[in-house]
Amino acid sequence: MNRLFHFMLTALLCAPGAQAAKDALSFPAGRYRDGDVLSVQEHDVVLREQGWVSYALRFEWPEDYQFVILARRDGASKQVPSLKVSVDDEEVRLQPVISEAWATYSFRCPVNKGERRVKLSSPVSGADDIHLASVVVVAPRKAAGVTLLESSRSAEPLKDANLLFHEKLIARIRETRTGQLRVQVLDKAGEPVKGVSVRVSQQRHSFLFGASQLTAAYDGTLSMRLRNEYKEQFLRRFNCVGTGEALTWRYMEPQPGRYYYTVGDKMIDWARARGLAVWGEDVYSECAEELPAWASAVSDARMRSVAGLRARVMANRYRGRVDALAVNGNMISCGHPGERFGAGMRKQLFHEIRASDPSAKLFLNEDIDLDTGRPETFMQPLRALLESGIPADGIGIRARFDGQPNAFRVERSLDALAQLGLPVRITGYACDDPDEQARLRAMESFFRVAFSHPAVEGISVRDFWFSESAGFPLLNADFSPSPLGHLYERLVFSEWWTETEGLTDKNGIFETRAFLGEYEVGVALSPTREIRQKAVVTSGDNPPVVFSY
């Protein structure tokens, strides 16, 4: 049977009558009997993102049929695509198309008697295009046959793939980042009041938008005017303060056992006084250049002792004042002190801080290429760290790119990270492409993907204000917005921001979809008088904001 099958397949693929029209995929017309094959051959039909081919077939016996597909991938994106095979819209096979050379992919599938729609599609975003040459259906001996009724195709996308992806992100942002806000207005007797004007004004996002602050804003390096302007501009744009260098080992412990708290204290106090979340950055780092200068001159035993003491001292000092800490950075990319500390020291540092400050969320913080087409390159070492017993509450990712990242690949990387079951924070987004338009495209696409993803709870940018060390910041030296700054404000404070008003209905209700966060709600009692309440919109069931007058 195998020899007979291969002969029939080869004959059909080579026969002149098997060549379909150049602009369509279709089966040769006719009726097929026991043991026959139903085949179509096409000159390099390309299935791109959302592309498909579809056939209406009549199967005249309920039986297992063999499907044989001749296909290849083009290798352009280096991401292996998958060919989805459906019967009556039910997926029966998701076949990775591995080879860049022509190859056959075969599988069996039970099909019931009757008219069935068989569809082949390319559902994977951002993957290589699939080149499809032939589809063969092998009827079992006892089957009465298979009849082609019609065929159709959309080998090109119904819509542009980027447009479809953009629409998907918008829908997911609505689902993930908004909630229902209901306002009810009652009179003194408790009866609903119709036609009352209601104003809804967002004050702050729940999603964390932040940046690393400069130590120069607190250590006297900047003039008072610049310090004040820097902090005011920061407060306008962010709800989360990254401590930058202030809590790093190199900055905070310039000599063994001698701690410099001044900048960290001032920065954290300033943030807490204004209700901003605090992200403590890289308490330790496993990159040699991030270690204190004295580290190379001390023994491993002494280094372990000093590191453990610092974990306890720092956690006690900032207990309850820092929301989240990146305990140990670059364990994957560097790993230098991991070898000097010994196998258990990484875990011990987390446990020391957890014991001293149980309320703080403890994060890993890694330089990970989210633009890779192979998420397993970072997932395997991350899983190994977590399985070693490190009690991490989340994963920090420094998302830094030399050029514009592929949004489809970024999404796949975030999907992979979500499998760890821990929240993800983007802890220092930056794109260093020298082309300004490329940087703008990169930032917009990355922010949309990250903001829409349910596993991500915050995005911080690396470069907020112009300085000698900044790459391409949001603000220029005079604190005017750069093009990136204008883009940031459009996304965060326009497109993803809720400002609306309306009138109550006959039940005294005004209802709107609103981005998650803090709100001021106003009800107009007259053209010159308004009463106001604070409200918080969450993703769950939000109780109504009730006004009674």
Side-chain angles (χ1 to χ4, degrees):
M1 178 60 187
N2 288 339
R3 183 177 298 176
L4 175 62
F5 166 72
H6 285 300
F7 169 76
M8 290 188 293
L9 177 59
T10 303
L12 276 165
L13 293 182
C14 297
Q19 178 68 45
K22 187 173 184 179
D23 62 348
L25 264 172
S26 62
F27 286 103
R31 188 175 179 83
Y32 296 82
R33 300 293 181 183
D34 293 357
D36 286 347
V37 291
L38 188 59
S39 172
V40 55
Q41 184 177 350
E42 173 59 35
H43 179 67
D44 207 16
V45 166
V46 181
L47 294 184
R48 295 189 172 91
E49 166 71 9
Q50 305 296 324
W52 52 267
V53 290
S54 179
Y55 312 104
L57 304 174
R58 180 182 294 117
F59 292 85
E60 299 185 19
W61 199 265
E63 189 55 85
D64 283 0
Y65 291 80
Q66 185 176 22
F67 290 75
V68 183
I69 299 164
L70 182 64
R72 67 176 181 86
R73 67 185 182 98
D74 64 12
S77 74
K78 305 304 180 183
Q79 177 65 27
V80 174
S82 291
L83 187 65
K84 178 180 176 181
V85 182
S86 304
V87 177
D88 290 343
D89 295 323
E90 180 180 349
E91 181 180 324
V92 298
R93 182 80 169 185
L94 189 63
Q95 175 64 58
V97 179
I98 300 171
S99 176
E100 294 181 29
W102 290 108
T104 55
Y105 302 91
S106 175
F107 64 93
R108 290 187 176 275
C109 174
V111 182
N112 289 327
K113 178 181 178 180
E115 295 180 7
R116 304 288 171 223
R117 173 68 63 176
V118 177
K119 183 177 181 180
L120 287 74
S121 59
S122 176
V124 179
S125 301
D128 285 352
D129 293 342
I130 297 174
H131 294 247
L132 187 64
S134 179
V135 181
V136 176
V137 179
V138 181
R141 286 289 181 180
K142 64 181 179 181
V146 183
T147 303
L148 172 69
L149 303 177
E150 65 173 348
S151 65
S152 58
R153 66 172 273 200
S154 176
E156 298 294 332
L158 296 178
K159 294 182 180 179
D160 177 79
N162 291 323
L163 177 60
L164 286 168
F165 189 63
H166 179 74
E167 291 174 351
K168 182 182 81 171
L169 296 183
I170 290 175
R172 195 165 67 187
I173 286 171
R174 177 179 172 81
E175 177 184 357
T176 305
R177 304 298 177 197
T178 67
Q180 205 66 18
L181 175 61
R182 174 182 290 187
V183 181
Q184 186 173 34
V185 181
L186 307 174
D187 61 19
K188 291 181 179 179
E191 296 297 321
V193 183
K194 179 183 178 181
V196 177
S197 178
V198 177
R199 177 185 58 84
V200 173
S201 178
Q202 188 167 1
Q203 305 297 299
R204 182 170 287 177
H205 275 286
S206 291
F207 188 89
L208 297 174
F209 290 102
S212 298
Q213 286 203 332
L214 297 174
T215 56
Y218 296 90
D219 65 5
T221 301
L222 297 179
S223 69
M224 182 175 293
R225 181 188 68 81
L226 289 177
R227 290 200 303 270
N228 291 339
E229 183 70 13
Y230 176 89
K231 294 173 185 177
E232 181 182 345
Q233 295 292 342
F234 191 100
L235 188 59
R236 289 179 183 177
R237 290 167 175 82
F238 304 115
N239 59 6
C240 181
V241 171
T243 57
E245 284 194 314
L247 300 189
T248 62
W249 197 2
R250 179 182 59 184
Y251 186 85
M252 195 175 177
E253 192 174 4
Q255 297 180 26
R258 299 185 64 178
Y259 304 111
Y260 178 58
Y261 295 117
T262 304
V263 169
D265 287 354
K266 289 181 179 180
M267 189 181 292
I268 292 170
D269 288 345
W270 179 86
R272 302 298 292 185
R274 289 153 182 81
L276 304 183
V278 178
W279 164 253
E281 295 189 69
D282 293 350
V283 177
Y284 299 93
S285 173
E286 297 210 1
C287 290
E289 63 271 17
E290 300 295 330
L291 294 174
W294 50 262
S296 60
V298 302
S299 67
D300 291 354
R302 172 65 172 157
M303 191 172 181
R304 289 194 292 270
S305 175
V306 172
L309 177 62
R310 176 175 182 264
R312 295 188 293 274
V313 169
M314 193 211 65
N316 277 306
R317 185 176 187 86
Y318 295 117
R319 182 190 296 116
R321 299 165 64 194
V322 176
D323 301 279
L325 279 167
V327 175
N328 200 350
N330 299 305
M331 287 189 281
I332 294 176
S333 56
C334 293
H336 174 72
E339 299 171 4
R340 295 189 64 188
F341 285 170
M345 194 61 191
R346 285 172 163 175
K347 183 167 59 175
Q348 182 183 334
L349 293 176
F350 275 81
H351 283 293
E352 295 276 14
I353 295 174
R354 171 65 49 77
S356 299
D357 188 1
S359 64
K361 295 180 180 179
L362 307 184
F363 278 65
L364 307 176
N365 198 26
E366 294 292 333
D367 285 313
I368 284 177
D369 180 13
L370 296 178
D371 194 25
T372 180
R374 300 176 61 227
E376 64 273 13
T377 58
F378 60 78
M379 288 298 294
Q380 184 175 353
L382 278 176
R383 284 198 179 95
L385 288 173
L386 295 173
E387 290 169 0
S388 73
I390 290 176
D393 300 310
I395 309 294
I397 304 296
R398 296 187 194 88
R400 296 170 185 177
F401 306 99
D402 294 326
Q404 183 178 346
N406 181 301
F408 300 110
R409 290 198 291 265
V410 170
E411 182 190 42
R412 281 197 300 276
S413 293
L414 293 176
D415 287 343
L417 288 166
Q419 296 173 15
L420 298 174
L422 297 173
V424 174
R425 290 195 186 189
I426 307 303
T427 60
Y429 167 80
C431 176
D432 293 322
D433 194 304
D435 181 76
E436 181 176 271
Q437 292 304 310
R439 294 196 301 273
L440 289 169
R441 290 192 299 269
M443 182 175 180
E444 179 164 6
S445 64
F446 181 85
F447 266 55
R448 289 188 185 281
V449 172
F451 185 61
S452 74
H453 203 284
V456 179
E457 66 177 25
I459 304 172
S460 290
V461 296
R462 184 190 66 188
D463 304 315
F464 164 52
W465 179 56
F466 172 86
S467 68
E468 290 182 1
S469 61
F472 299 97
L474 302 185
L475 299 185
N476 299 313
D478 62 357
F479 294 101
S480 63
S482 68
L484 288 176
H486 283 298
L487 172 60
Y488 175 87
E489 292 174 14
R490 175 171 64 81
L491 292 174
V492 177
F493 296 113
S494 179
E495 186 173 336
W496 302 333
W497 192 255
T498 302
E499 296 281 344
T500 189
E501 59 184 26
L503 301 176
T504 57
D505 61 17
K506 64 180 181 180
N507 298 313
I509 299 291
F510 172 75
E511 196 166 10
T512 187
R513 198 77 182 168
F515 284 96
L516 307 182
E518 301 172 11
Y519 283 82
E520 180 182 82
V521 181
V523 168
L525 304 182
S526 70
T528 59
R529 184 183 172 204
E530 183 183 71
I531 54 176
R532 301 168 187 170
Q533 286 192 48
K534 300 295 184 183
V536 176
V537 176
T538 68
S539 57
D541 293 330
N542 295 298
V545 183
V546 179
F547 289 82
S548 183
Y549 67 97

